[in-house]
Amino acid sequence: MVRRDGAEGPDGLAPRSRAPKTRPGTIAPAVRERIIALRRELQAAGAEAGPVTIAWHLEQEGHPAPSTATIRRILHAAGLINPAPQKRPRSSYIRFQADLPNECWQADITHWFLQAGIRVEILDFLDDHARYLLELRPVTAFTGPMVVTVMTELITRYVPPYSTLTDNGLVFTTRLARFKGARGGFEKLLAAHRITQKNGRPGHPQTQGKIERFHQTLKRWLKARPLPDTIEDLQTLLTEFQTWYNTARPYRSLGRRTPEQAYTAHPKATPTSTADTTEWRSRTDTVDKNGKVTLRYAGKLRHLGIGRSHVGTPVLLLIHDRDITVSSMNTGQIIAEFTIDPDKNYQPKKA
């Protein structure tokens, strides 16, 4: 102070700024502007635009990415974040994640609309470990056999997973159906490949939380684009989305890797079940006027030809997977035997 007083007089005693002369951690104006621009571009495209995603894009462009906390402060200062105090903190969630790719595939059906207002269903399959989007397919309405076809294609393309996780829709399971016993086509396909089937608790969509959260991302992306005219146009959009989702969208929980990077980083889990997966059940019926009874097998109604000589006879059907034994409930006599051909609706009895 004495030196300052001698050199500058009374003015040298005035308080001076204590700010550091250099700020090595200051964000360059160009990077700050790019962060704001990325936020707006990603939101306009219907994509995720949080700090983690913005940091990933900065790195891909060759910019030094600041911490996510710094990016959040920049976005707040620019008025680009709407406070949401009602949201639960991330630390309050209990997270579950498969240890390996193909350890669990989640599947569900959501919907979207065409330009004419027609409602279309979308079937999606998502790998639980990597969030890798395995399939997106739209049709007017999905049936059990359609879901079986898609699952068969995925098994061929990626090899069978260790398990699946779905809700209790009839295209996935018959366990809550009105009439118990018969397995659906999806269940039979999983049993044939020794794939463990898991279903969420009714009325508890949090069990399938990853795919439910995925639907938010999908629909936000679709809302940023005009409604398609046809299902084929929608499929084109979904294919574009699938590529973007798998290759250009990093995840915080995956160490800022994309789903494709996470899916290909580890060996794949495979079925290990050795339990007996054959089906045992029984049902009663009455031979109709055409000499037939009906049986639901693999999600389809099959017609079993008993013979006109047994019209009106009450019968008991004993089902052991594909083998069916039919006996008269009046006499206990076996009157017909069948081996179901899954490719046919009408089943002639064995000679």
Side-chain angles (χ1 to χ4, degrees):
M1 296 292 287
V2 173
R3 287 197 300 270
R4 285 166 52 186
D5 178 62
E8 304 176 29
D11 292 339
L13 302 178
R16 296 183 179 182
S17 173
R18 296 186 178 183
K21 295 181 179 179
T22 61
R23 299 173 184 265
T26 301
I27 304 301
V31 174
R32 184 183 299 271
E33 292 172 5
R34 186 56 185 150
I35 288 172
I36 294 173
L38 275 171
R39 173 76 167 188
R40 290 172 172 153
E41 290 171 10
L42 291 171
Q43 286 182 325
E48 292 286 339
V52 172
T53 303
I54 290 174
W56 184 85
H57 280 281
L58 287 173
E59 292 170 353
Q60 302 304 304
E61 295 176 0
H63 295 293
S67 69
T68 55
T70 299
I71 293 176
R72 184 175 295 277
R73 285 196 296 270
I74 292 171
L75 297 178
H76 266 298
L80 296 177
I81 289 183
N82 296 321
Q86 73 279 8
K87 292 179 66 175
R88 289 172 56 185
R90 288 182 180 271
S91 58
S92 69
Y93 289 92
I94 300 175
R95 294 185 65 254
F96 298 94
Q97 178 174 298
D99 293 328
L100 292 173
N102 283 10
E103 185 174 325
C104 179
W105 288 357
Q106 291 198 31
D108 201 1
I109 293 175
T110 187
H111 69 276
W112 197 243
F113 293 91
L114 302 182
Q115 191 68 249
I118 299 173
R119 188 178 186 273
V120 175
E121 291 188 346
I122 300 173
L123 172 67
D124 40 38
F125 279 82
L126 192 73
D127 180 76
D128 187 276
H129 169 80
R131 315 301 202 281
Y132 187 72
L133 183 54
L134 301 157
E135 183 64 37
L136 269 181
R137 188 169 305 188
V139 299
T140 302
F142 272 98
T143 63
M146 289 179 181
V147 174
V148 170
T149 297
V150 175
M151 184 65 180
T152 301
E153 292 176 6
L154 292 178
I155 288 173
T156 301
R157 190 184 313 160
Y158 296 105
V159 309
Y162 171 80
S163 67
T164 62
L165 174 61
T166 68
D167 60 19
N168 295 282
L170 283 175
V171 296
F172 298 120
T173 180
T174 59
R175 73 189 189 107
L176 299 181
R178 180 181 175 188
F179 300 102
K180 307 295 183 183
R183 290 177 180 169
F186 188 74
E187 293 168 302
K188 285 187 174 293
L189 178 64
L190 298 187
H193 289 278
R194 305 284 184 177
I195 299 170
T196 300
Q197 183 175 26
K198 296 182 286 187
N199 301 96
R201 192 169 80 239
H204 194 265
Q206 294 91 331
T207 306
Q208 297 88 245
K210 292 185 182 68
I211 204 159
E212 295 291 348
R213 176 62 180 83
F214 163 77
H215 290 160
Q216 296 180 28
T217 300
L218 170 64
K219 292 183 177 182
R220 180 170 56 245
W221 191 90
L222 288 173
K223 282 179 182 177
R225 289 152 181 81
L227 290 175
D229 293 321
T230 65
I231 289 181
E232 291 74 19
D233 293 338
L234 177 56
Q235 181 65 77
T236 300
L237 272 179
L238 295 178
T239 301
E240 179 186 346
F241 170 86
Q242 184 174 1
T243 300
W244 168 80
Y245 183 89
N246 283 337
T247 63
R249 186 178 183 274
Y251 271 89
R252 181 202 303 266
S253 60
L254 298 177
R256 294 193 185 181
R257 292 179 298 170
T258 64
E260 183 177 68
Q261 290 170 333
Y263 186 75
T264 56
H266 299 285
K268 309 298 185 290
T270 56
T272 58
S273 173
T274 57
D276 182 12
T277 56
T278 56
E279 176 182 18
W280 292 91
R281 61 187 172 102
S282 64
R283 69 178 298 268
T284 59
D285 202 348
T286 300
V287 181
D288 66 16
K289 63 181 180 180
N290 297 312
K292 296 184 292 185
V293 295
T294 57
L295 173 72
R296 188 166 295 279
Y297 179 87
K300 287 186 177 181
L301 202 62
R302 317 289 175 162
H303 301 277
L304 281 59
I306 306 295
R308 291 183 182 273
S309 61
H310 298 287
V311 169
T313 301
V315 294
L316 172 68
L317 287 75
L318 298 177
I319 302 109
H320 178 205
D321 204 21
R322 293 175 55 198
D323 295 320
I324 318 296
T325 301
V326 183
S327 60
S328 168
M329 294 183 66
N330 294 330
T331 65
Q333 178 185 4
I334 294 176
I335 58 178
E337 294 180 309
F338 302 85
T339 297
I340 297 293
D341 183 346
D343 296 326
K344 297 180 180 179
N345 289 332
Y346 177 75
Q347 307 290 326
K349 62 183 178 181
K350 293 180 180 179

